[in-house]
C-alpha cells in the first residue's frame, strides 16, 4: 500500500514514515499542500495534516476530492467537534487527532481503504453500502437488515447507523466525536449520554454485549473475538 503523507512537521514525518514502512507500506511525503493533486497517481491512501504552511488542509482535501476518490484520512492536532465535522463534510473518510497510537493509525488506514473498492473501469467508489459480517453478526446496509446467527434484529435508524459505523471500522476504535459527527451530524450537550444509551440498547438487542467494547476515554470498537 502506498501512502501520500502531507505533513509539514519534519519531526512528525521522520517518526511516522519508518513506522508505516514497518507495517509494509511505502510513503511519499509532501511538506506543503499546494499542487498535491499532481502527486495522487499510484496513491492508495492520503494522510493529511490540516496545519500546512501554504494552504489550509481543508482546502487541500477539497482539491483532492474534486479530482479523485482516493481515501483521505485527516491526522491533525485540531480536535474540536466542529473541526471533525468540517473535515468529514469536506470529504475526508476519517479523522484522527494527534497524538495518536500508531497501531490505531495503521488500523484506520486499512479501514478507509477497505471502505472503497475499485470498479472494473478503474474508478474508486465508496463501499459503504456493502454487507458486513463480523462473527455471526451480518449487516446489510441496502436492506437495512441485521441478523445475529440467522435471527433478524430490528434496529432504529440511529442504532443501525452506529452499528454500521463500528462494523465497517473492522476492529479499529471509533471515537465518540467521530460517531456523533457521522451519525447525528453535529455535537451538542448530552451527545455522549445519547451515544451511550444507543450502544447499551444495541448490546441488548444483539444479545452479544461483548461485541461492542468500550475503549475508556476514547470510544467504542466492534470485534468478534478477543485480541
Amino acid at each position: 500500500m502506498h501512502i501520500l503523507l502531507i505533513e509539514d512537521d519534519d519531526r512528525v514525518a521522520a517518526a511516522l514514515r519508518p513506522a508505516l514502512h514497518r507495517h509494509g507500506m511505502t510513503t511519499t511525503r509532501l511538506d506543503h499542500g499546494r499542487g498535491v493533486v499532481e502527486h495522487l497517481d499510484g496513491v492508495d491512501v492520503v494522510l493529511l495534516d490540516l496545519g500546512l504552511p501554504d494552504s489550509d488542509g481543508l482546502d487541500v482535501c477539497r482539491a483532492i476530492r474534486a479530482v479523485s476518490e482516493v481515501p483521505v484520512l485527516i491526522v491533525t492536532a485540531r480536535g474540536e467537534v466542529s473541526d471533525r465535522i468540517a473535515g468529514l463534510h469536506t470529504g475526508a473518510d476519517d479523522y484522527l487527532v494527534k497524538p495518536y497510537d500508531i497501531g490505531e493509525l495503521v488500523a484506520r488506514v486499512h479501514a478507509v481503504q477497505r471502505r472503497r473498492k475499485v470498479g472494473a473501469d478503474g474508478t474508486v467508489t465508496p463501499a459503504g453500502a456493502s454487507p458486513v459480517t463480523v462473527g455471526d453478526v451480518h449487516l446489510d446496509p441496502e436492506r437495512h437488515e441485521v441478523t445475529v446467527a440467522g435471527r433478524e434484529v430490528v434496529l432504529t435508524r440511529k442504532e443501525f447507523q452506529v452499528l454500521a459505523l463500528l462494523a465497517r471500522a473492522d476492529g479499529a476504535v471509533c471515537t465518540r466525536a467521530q460517531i456523533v459527527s457521522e451519525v447525528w451530524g453535529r455535537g451538542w450537550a448530552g451527545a455522549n449520554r445519547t451515544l451511550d444509551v444507543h450502544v447499551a440498547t444495541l448490546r441488548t438487542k444483539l444479545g452479544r454485549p461483548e461485541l461492542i467494547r468500550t475503549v475508556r476515554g476514547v470510544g467504542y470498537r466492534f470485534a468478534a473475538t478477543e485480541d
Side-chain angles (χ1 to χ4, degrees), residues 8 45 72 80 100 105 138 155 182 184 188 203 211 216-217 221:
D8 69 315
V45 175
V72 176
E80 298 295 328
Y100 47 77
L105 174 65
H138 181 74
L155 301 179
E182 292 194 30
W184 282 271
W188 74 99
R203 285 168 169 160
L211 291 180
R216 191 177 301 278
R221 60 190 291 265

Side-chain angles (χ1 to χ4, degrees), residues 66-211:
V67 300
S68 172
E69 290 296 330
V70 63
V72 176
L73 171 53
I74 290 177
V75 284
T76 178
R78 301 180 191 172
E80 298 295 328
V81 171
S82 58
D83 295 322
R84 299 168 190 261
I85 292 173
L88 294 170
H89 282 174
T90 301
D93 296 83
D94 201 353
Y95 195 108
L96 187 60
V97 178
K98 299 175 182 176
Y100 47 77
D101 179 83
I102 187 64
E104 181 181 359
L105 174 65
V106 170
R108 287 176 181 269
V109 166
H110 285 290
V112 296
Q113 189 194 35
R114 280 194 298 271
R115 290 174 197 162
R116 295 176 181 269
K117 58 185 178 181
V118 179
D121 59 355
T123 58
V124 183
T125 55
S130 300
V132 179
T133 299
V134 180
D136 62 357
V137 178
H138 181 74
L139 182 148
D140 188 333
E142 290 191 350
R143 297 168 62 90
H144 193 85
E145 183 179 271
V146 174
T147 60
V148 179
R151 172 182 58 88
E152 185 173 359
V153 177
V154 178
L155 301 179
T156 67
R157 185 166 62 91
K158 293 298 186 188
E159 291 165 357
F160 189 92
Q161 288 177 305
V162 171
L163 181 63
L165 179 61
L166 294 173
R168 287 199 297 266
D170 196 25
V173 177
C174 294
T175 66
R176 287 177 169 274
Q178 176 191 1
I179 299 170
V180 169
S181 64
E182 292 194 30
V183 173
W184 282 271
R186 62 186 177 87
W188 74 99
N192 282 338
R193 176 58 181 160
T194 298
L195 174 58
D196 289 339
V197 170
H198 278 72
V199 169
T201 304
L202 275 172
R203 285 168 169 160
T204 300
K205 287 187 175 181
L206 294 176
R208 301 280 194 280
E210 73 281 2
L211 291 180

